[in-house]
Structures are given as structure tokens and as C-alpha cells.
Amino acid sequence: MSGAASAAAGSKFTAFMNHPAGPKTVFFWAPMMKWCLVAAGVKDLSRPPDKLSVSQNVALACTGFIWVRYSLVITPINYSLAAVNFFVGSTGLGQLARIVNHRYKNPEAVKAD
């Protein structure tokens, strides 16, 4: 790379590393680890709906969407935290929709509980 290109790339990398929500802070690593909740929600798509927990998925949906709002009002604004929490809430809502659909189509399954 030329000197100017090298300096520009270095300054962008330095700016990323030293950002208030960069990799030297918890604001970066917490959302990275929270993607595991999204992966678990996606993995649960293979589980039968009668084995899913309503209370767990209500909690995931509520906390996901509450934290989306929170991550947009804190300083520094944390867009990666907002994104991961949006997907946490969405997977929770998706699973709740599967549970409701299953119970609607199989009312005898609800009576057995």
C-alpha cells in the first residue's frame, strides 16, 4: 500500500479499536456473546412446539425489545447491542407464534397439560 492508503487504513483501525463501544470495552463483547441466545432460539426451531417454554420465550421477547430501546438511549449508542436484542426478541416472538399455532391446531394437547 502507498503511504496515504496505509495511514488511512491505520487510522480507521485505530479509530475502531479506540471507539467508546469498541473491542476494548464490554459494549463490544456483551453483544457478541449474546448472539448465542439467538443461535439457541434458531436451534429451537427444530424442537416440537409442545416442548417449548411459554414463560422462557415471553421473557426472551420482552427483554429483547426492552433492551433494543435501552441500547439506543445509552451513551455511547450501541447499535450492535440493539441489533442482537432485536433478534433475541424476534426469536422469542417466533417461538411464541409456533406455540400458539400448535395449541390452536391441537386443542386436545392443551387439555392434557
Side-chain angles (χ1 to χ4, degrees), residues 26-42 59-72 74 77-93:
V26 71
F27 298 111
F28 178 83
W29 291 107
M32 291 299 123
M33 297 299 113
K34 205 164 188 180
W35 281 107
C36 294
L37 289 175
V38 176
V42 171
L60 284 173
C62 290
T63 57
F65 291 122
I66 288 168
W67 276 91
V68 168
R69 171 71 177 130
Y70 175 74
S71 63
L72 296 174
I74 61 172
I77 293 175
N78 197 333
Y79 295 110
S80 62
L81 185 62
V84 72
N85 280 301
F86 174 79
F87 284 103
V88 167
S90 297
T91 56
L93 278 181

Side-chain angles (χ1 to χ4, degrees), residues 50 102-103 106-113:
D50 58 328
H102 173 72
R103 290 184 178 181
N106 304 300
E108 68 282 349
V110 176
K111 291 178 186 172
D113 290 341

